[in-house]
Amino acid sequence: ADEHLDLDDGRWEDIHVVTGALKLFFRELPEPLVPFSHFDKFIAAIRNGTRPGFGDIPGGDTDPCPCRVIEYKEENRMSVQSVAIVFGPTLLRPAREEGNMAMHMVFQTQVVEHILNQYSYIF
């Protein structure tokens, strides 16, 4: 909604509340940030050891929150890999959960890690 949140307010002191809300927001989107149509080809590319093609992903004109989090990794201990583990299954997910979810999570994490490492090049 158009509600303004003051993150300096004491209600937001617990970082787990903020990250939980952010993950819930991404999870509740009708389609993830990486569209459903890209899931299979990205997983296949990572599985085959090739680089996923990002040419037709919309966006890239905003400063993504995960990239800003990584900038402060010394203070918050959230490296690229940590952010990818936390947000991978939320930012990149299949339209229907099928097959080996644990194996998908490994590849989802690797795809999101690659996106974060190559963000400026991709977008």
Side-chain angles (χ1 to χ4, degrees), residues 77-94:
R77 298 183 304 225
M78 290 298 289
S79 65
V80 171
Q81 185 178 24
S82 298
V83 171
I85 288 168
V86 171
F87 287 100
T90 306
L91 301 178
L92 172 72
R93 64 182 190 272

Side-chain angles (χ1 to χ4, degrees), residues 1-116:
D2 293 326
E3 184 180 344
H4 173 73
L5 296 177
D6 178 9
L7 294 178
D8 291 326
D9 184 327
R11 294 181 296 167
W12 305 106
E13 244 174 52
D14 184 355
I15 192 63
H16 300 290
V17 172
V18 176
T19 56
L22 187 58
K23 285 188 343 185
L24 179 62
F25 170 78
F26 286 130
R27 194 170 32 252
E28 301 261 329
L29 289 173
E31 186 160 27
L33 289 183
V34 177
F36 291 130
S37 60
H38 289 67
F39 181 83
D40 288 332
K41 72 178 180 178
F42 281 14
I43 296 299
I46 290 294
R47 194 178 272 162
N48 295 328
T50 60
R51 301 178 83 190
F54 296 97
D56 55 344
I57 290 185
D61 55 352
T62 59
D63 184 17
C65 181
C67 287
R68 289 202 332 245
V69 169
I70 294 163
E71 287 177 17
Y72 296 95
K73 67 183 175 193
E74 298 303 322
E75 291 87 13
N76 61 28
R77 298 183 304 225
M78 290 298 289
S79 65
V80 171
Q81 185 178 24
S82 298
V83 171
I85 288 168
V86 171
F87 287 100
T90 306
L91 301 178
L92 172 72
R93 64 182 190 272
R96 286 182 293 292
E97 292 293 339
E98 298 173 358
N100 189 342
M101 286 178 49
M103 187 56 81
H104 274 170
M105 286 180 66
V106 169
F107 294 127
Q108 287 164 299
T109 298
Q110 290 176 357
V111 169
V112 171
E113 187 173 350
H114 179 74
I115 290 170
L116 293 172

